[in-house]
Amino acid sequence: MFKLLLILKYLRRKLAPLFAASAVMLCTAMVIIVMSVMGGFLENFRASAHALTGDLVIEGPLQGFTGYEELVAEIEALPEIVAAAPMLRAVGLVNFRDTAKPVQLQGVDFKKLEQIVGYKKTLLWNNDQLREHVGDPQSELGRAFVAKMTRDFPIDPGPDAPGGVPVLGLPEAVMGVEVYPFQRRNDQGDYELNRSRAGERLPVTVIPLTESGTVGALEPVRREILITNEIKSGLYDIDASAVVLPFTTLQTMLNMQPRTGFTDFDPNTGRGGEETQVPGRANQVVVKVAAGVYLLDARDRVQSLIDAQWKDRSLAFPPLARTWEEVHQNILGAVENEKGLVTFLFGIIGLVAVVMVATTFYMIVLEKTRDIGVLRAIGASRGGIMGLFVGYGLAIGVVGSLLGLAIAVAIVTNLNEIQSLLNTWFGWQMWDPKTYFFDRIPDTVNYTEALRVVAGAILSSVIGALIPAWIAGRLKPVDALRYE
Amino acid sequence: MPTEDHPHVTPPPILHATGIEKTYRMGGKDLRVLKGVDCEVRPGELLAILGRSGSGKSTLLHLLGGLDRPDGGTVTYGGEDVYRRRGRSLDRYRNHSVGFVFQFYHLLPELTALENVTVAAMLQRGVAGWLGAKKQIIERAAGLLDQMGLADRMKHRPAKLSGGERQRVAIARALINRPQVLLADEPTGNLDQETGTSILELFDELHAGGQTTVMVTHDPKVADAADRVVTLVGGRLAESAAQPA
Ligand SMILES: Nc1ncnc2c1ncn2[C@@H]1O[C@H](COP(=O)(O)OP(=O)(O)OP(=O)(O)O)[C@@H](O)[C@H]1O
Ligand SMILES: [Mg+2]
């Protein structure tokens, strides 16, 4: 009982515990803040990557593979799978007047894609903004623009309508906001509508590949598309390179569409030139896995399905199914690595906290040596004295780490406000939204991790108090009494 | 030896030290402070231990109070060897059986006067034990402080109390667990004449109430109040004078 009384008294009366508690508090706050922000980045990053990629991606060779329709149907029949859609990926060239830029072209069925990855969330401009941006919506051209740009999903117009308003005949597409090489953001890190490329006609050039993956005798194909909106996904790589257009448009450009062709002429037999159906090709399939299904299991199911289909095909390597995490492994791994390093650094910070608490406690024990002697002389046990100081350490750990948690929560949840205050007061920007791709600093606290940190801080305080407490307990009453 | 001729039968001592030896080792040199001290404390008496500064009075008192370990000899309390006790048992001896009063009061600065007294009663009690006896103990502590004229000082911290007041609080603390023997190490040594006298009067009162007390002092005048005076010279005790009771 005396322990409780004295701990409460000691906590109130002395400067030393204040220091110890502040040390614990600051360490706790620092670790929670850094973890929250770092973890927030990783989380944002992962969320963006996942949202953009879908759960699983099946990747074939660049020239694509035939039979994707059957594959998609079979995959969709799997109970683990919600939806699947073929996709095309190709390297292309776009021209902004006299500036050429390589881009990643993606041919997608937008409606299906929305079901699988929810791409709409990444669209930068809403319909009102787009209407405003188009300019005079009353003109024929303006109306055509508005109709195209505010459509639920971009569509392939099919063959250009001859003699119509030119824009009506263009396939609709969306483009990463940073694809435009002269894109700028304002000081708040926002993109401005008047710099938007939405509504522009963009020439896209691709080089079709033959079924065996060579250029062959095929000529580059150039076609104009209409940018109807821009994508801001949060992944710079995507935003700076992706141009997403309707599946059939890209498939046709790449000469991968199902069509009627002719067999080769064989001079020996004199046969050939007969009409034949050439199957279409796709080089990717995106897959949405049902909720609650372990991604790796779903991946293996899908892969075995592919392998079964590919058993009697000439293609040397069957397409490969990968989870979104595997697709982004290089960059996710880098961030994870960083997290590992930070965890290690936190280990050191934790050690610092232990040493600080130990030092402060040693000072407290020294200062209290006489009192310890008195307590022992009037009947306190060794264990009681040890318990007193361990309990004291525990109390300081609890007080310090809870205060630290409170401070960390206050700072993290207001990080963006603090940042803008610092900016207006001192003109100092600790976070340049133009440099970092996420334009807001992550400001959510992961409470599970925060509580783990608090527990760690309390444990550190107890450990820090343990040695001084043991020293205090070992003091002989007479020696402690004589201590000057 | 008590015989039938003597009207007063000497009761057996409460506290009995025999052949106590204590040597301090400092930097290779041995300082033999106690060289076989025999000393008995009888129930109800006020025993004064006189001696020059450095003669080992405090050392002896600490050994009687279970604060140190003798190098030789035994201290028996109620027929039992105190230093055979270990750990908790020795703690209990310090807490219940004897009560210590120090020259420099040694109150805990963070606690109020009342808390300084009650803390001694808490030491051997857990939270439950304390809560059960709390009311009684606080009443007794307040009673003791009242008895010592500190009724209006109970909520004061030691820093706000005079030397005499602090010593009274220390005495109340020593008495809270109703110890058989009160051990006081120069309780007036740090006080002015007048305050010292009032403290001595307090000891007198306690003694009159039957409290067995051992008091260390180097002031022969202080010894006047004692039943029995022993002097520590050359590491041994000499009975100097028996005061008429
Ligand atoms: N822990 C110790 N280590 C070394 N020497 C000690 C120790 N404690 C006491 N001494 C020495 O033992 C001798 C007796 O000390 P003690 O305190 O018992 O004397 P005292 O009679 O109480 O003196 P005073 O009247 O000044 O209080 C002194 O010479 C002192 O220096
Ligand atoms: Mg002394």
Side-chain angles (χ1 to χ4, degrees):
Chain A
M1 180 61 211
F2 79 101
K3 287 172 250 171
L4 218 58
L5 173 72
L6 282 173
I7 287 169
L8 289 177
K9 295 285 177 177
Y10 283 1
L11 278 177
R12 282 215 309 252
R13 302 287 304 166
K14 286 289 169 189
L15 211 57
L18 198 72
F19 283 135
S22 332
V24 174
M25 178 183 81
L26 291 178
C27 283
T28 310
M30 177 171 68
V31 172
I32 293 177
I33 289 170
V34 175
M35 270 202 170
S36 294
V37 175
M38 286 271 310
F41 269 127
L42 185 61
E43 242 351 278
N44 276 358
F45 191 79
R46 287 172 61 89
S48 300
H50 189 181
L52 225 63
T53 313
D55 295 328
L56 298 181
V57 180
I58 300 164
E59 289 174 314
L62 192 59
Q63 79 271 20
F65 49 87
T66 58
Y68 63 85
E69 297 94 337
E70 296 83 44
L71 184 63
V72 165
E74 276 183 46
I75 290 172
E76 281 195 313
L78 287 177
E80 293 95 333
I81 304 304
V82 175
M87 246 176 70
L88 276 166
R89 188 168 292 245
V91 180
L93 185 76
V94 293
N95 295 87
F96 296 95
R97 293 209 187 89
D98 55 355
T99 301
K101 186 171 179 177
V103 291
Q104 276 288 336
L105 295 171
Q106 286 179 41
V108 302
D109 176 342
F110 282 94
K111 216 173 204 162
K112 203 84 189 270
L113 191 71
E114 177 61 24
Q115 211 187 334
I116 294 172
V117 304
Y119 93 101
K120 271 191 159 181
K121 274 185 302 205
T122 64
L123 294 180
L124 186 53
W125 312 112
N126 61 34
N127 284 346
D128 291 336
Q129 288 171 312
L130 290 172
R131 269 188 210 102
E132 182 195 328
H133 185 59
V134 164
D136 178 14
Q138 297 314 322
S139 70
E140 195 188 352
L141 193 61
R143 274 207 306 280
F145 266 113
V146 168
K148 275 182 168 274
M149 292 170 68
T150 57
R151 236 199 283 283
D152 259 1
F153 301 104
I155 54 168
D156 177 6
D160 287 4
V165 185
V167 67
L168 288 176
L170 296 183
E172 298 156 29
V174 293
M175 177 181 89
V177 66
E178 291 274 345
V179 172
Y180 181 50
F182 311 106
Q183 185 61 266
R184 292 286 173 275
R185 285 194 270 175
N186 63 17
D187 287 342
Q188 281 73 52
D190 294 329
Y191 293 98
E192 282 166 353
L193 190 58
N194 58 16
R195 299 193 73 90
S196 167
R197 306 326 290 170
E200 298 255 311
R201 272 163 281 186
L202 188 67
V204 179
T205 310
V206 293
I207 299 175
L209 296 180
T210 66
E211 203 164 339
S212 50
T214 60
V215 174
L218 298 167
E219 297 277 325
V221 175
R222 179 182 158 109
R223 173 154 205 199
E224 275 200 331
I225 55 170
L226 175 74
I227 304 300
T228 61
N229 206 332
E230 283 165 309
I231 297 175
K232 182 174 165 288
S233 69
L235 290 179
Y236 185 80
D237 275 359
I238 303 282
D239 292 359
S241 72
V243 174
V244 189
L245 52 167
F247 182 76
T248 47
T249 306
L250 187 59
Q251 200 181 32
T252 309
M253 285 172 75
L254 291 168
N255 201 29
M256 286 160 79
Q257 78 281 24
R259 62 188 185 277
T260 312
F262 299 94
T263 53
D264 290 338
F265 180 72
D266 188 340
N268 294 329
T269 59
R271 293 170 61 102
E274 294 119 39
E275 257 192 25
T276 174
Q277 275 314 110
V278 181
R281 284 177 279 153
N283 53 23
Q284 288 197 343
V285 175
V286 279
V287 180
K288 185 180 178 66
V289 173
V293 175
Y294 194 47
L295 277 192
L296 291 176
D297 291 343
R299 180 200 66 184
D300 293 344
R301 268 309 282 279
V302 168
Q303 187 66 56
S304 55
L305 211 132
I306 297 168
D307 291 346
Q309 253 204 33
W310 253 255
K311 233 180 10 235
D312 35 41
R313 284 220 201 177
S314 59
L315 200 62
F317 302 104
L320 193 63
R322 294 195 292 167
T323 67
W324 65 274
E325 281 175 308
E326 289 170 326
V327 171
H328 295 281
Q329 183 50 49
N330 53 342
I331 187 128
L332 285 181
V335 183
E336 295 272 5
N337 254 354
E338 209 166 311
K339 210 181 171 195
L341 189 69
V342 169
T343 310
F344 170 73
L345 293 180
F346 286 160
I348 295 179
I349 293 174
L351 219 61
V352 171
V354 171
V355 172
M356 269 195 292
V357 171
T359 315
T360 320
F361 266 76
Y362 187 64
M363 301 309 286
I364 293 174
V365 167
L366 280 188
E367 186 209 26
K368 291 258 162 266
T369 298
R370 179 108 44 117
D371 290 0
I372 293 168
V374 174
L375 283 167
R376 294 277 281 129
I378 63 175
S381 62
R382 249 158 217 249
I385 297 292
M386 258 194 87
L388 168 63
F389 283 93
V390 172
Y392 194 18
L394 181 72
I396 281 179
V398 168
V399 171
S401 62
L402 287 183
L403 283 178
L405 176 66
I407 289 177
V409 168
I411 289 184
V412 170
T413 51
N414 293 303
L415 212 47
N416 288 288
E417 287 73 10
I418 292 172
Q419 126 100 351
S420 71
L421 272 188
L422 286 178
N423 195 15
T424 43
W425 287 348
F426 309 111
W428 177 57
Q429 201 147 30
M430 63 176 167
W431 170 269
D432 186 351
K434 283 191 275 191
T435 331
Y436 291 88
F437 213 71
F438 299 108
D439 39 35
R440 278 178 69 81
I441 309 173
D443 58 1
T444 45
V445 177
N446 179 342
Y447 282 95
T448 329
E449 277 192 2
L451 289 181
R452 220 174 280 154
V453 173
V454 166
I458 294 174
L459 191 70
S460 305
S461 311
V462 171
I463 292 173
L466 221 48
I467 295 171
W470 183 73
I471 292 172
R474 245 180 26 140
L475 282 172
K476 274 206 293 183
V478 258
D479 294 340
L481 277 174
R482 281 184 194 271
Y483 181 83
E484 294 293 329
Chain B
M1 279 278 113
T3 62
E4 281 176 6
D5 301 328
H6 290 75
H8 300 290
V9 175
T10 315
I14 299 180
L15 201 53
H16 195 172
T18 40
I20 295 289
E21 287 181 35
K22 184 73 189 175
T23 305
Y24 290 115
R25 272 164 213 95
M26 285 177 8
K29 271 195 184 166
D30 282 4
L31 182 65
R32 279 189 76 194
V33 178
L34 302 179
K35 307 169 181 169
V37 171
D38 298 316
C39 170
E40 44 178 69
V41 182
R42 294 169 202 144
E45 77 170 344
L46 173 54
L47 173 67
I49 301 178
L50 278 179
R52 284 164 194 263
S53 186
S55 56
K57 305 182 296 295
S58 295
T59 305
L60 176 59
L61 203 67
H62 290 156
L63 287 169
L64 291 178
L67 302 191
D68 205 348
R69 274 186 187 276
D71 297 322
T74 54
V75 176
T76 53
Y77 169 81
E80 198 195 338
D81 189 344
V82 170
Y83 289 100
R84 278 267 169 78
R85 291 165 170 244
R86 298 246 150 227
R88 299 246 161 194
S89 172
L90 192 55
D91 298 331
R92 249 194 319 279
Y93 171 76
R94 287 199 283 262
N95 190 236
H96 287 316
S97 311
V98 296
F100 233 102
V101 179
F102 306 95
Q103 177 176 349
F104 297 100
Y105 335 122
H106 286 339
L107 299 177
L108 301 177
E110 286 84 4
L111 304 187
T112 64
L114 186 65
E115 286 165 341
N116 258 295
V117 177
T118 52
V119 76
M122 288 181 194
L123 289 174
Q124 296 287 326
R125 287 185 168 88
V127 175
W130 163 250
L131 290 179
K134 183 177 171 183
K135 199 164 161 260
Q136 249 178 307
I137 292 168
I138 290 183
E139 259 169 35
R140 173 166 162 77
L144 280 169
L145 288 171
D146 192 22
Q147 184 189 338
M148 304 194 181
L150 293 173
D152 53 348
R153 293 279 188 281
M154 295 195 197
K155 293 274 185 285
H156 289 57
R157 280 179 227 290
K160 298 261 165 66
L161 298 175
S162 74
E165 287 166 339
R166 290 183 206 184
Q167 195 58 296
R168 286 163 208 269
V169 175
I171 294 169
R173 175 177 69 186
L175 291 173
I176 186 76
N177 290 332
R178 302 177 201 274
Q180 292 284 320
V181 184
L182 187 60
L183 302 172
D185 192 353
E186 302 193 44
T188 61
N190 207 36
L191 299 173
D192 61 63
Q193 191 85 47
E194 208 173 315
T195 320
T197 311
S198 76
I199 292 290
L200 283 178
E201 278 166 8
L202 191 56
F203 275 100
D204 253 351
E205 245 174 67
L206 292 170
H207 174 226
Q211 177 66 54
T212 312
T213 308
V214 180
M215 194 190 294
V216 160
T217 177
H218 56 246
D219 181 357
K221 259 186 287 172
V222 171
D224 290 350
D227 294 325
R228 215 149 54 81
V229 177
V230 291
T231 309
L232 194 54
V233 205
R236 291 206 170 74
L237 266 194
E239 193 114 3
S240 27
Q243 305 282 316

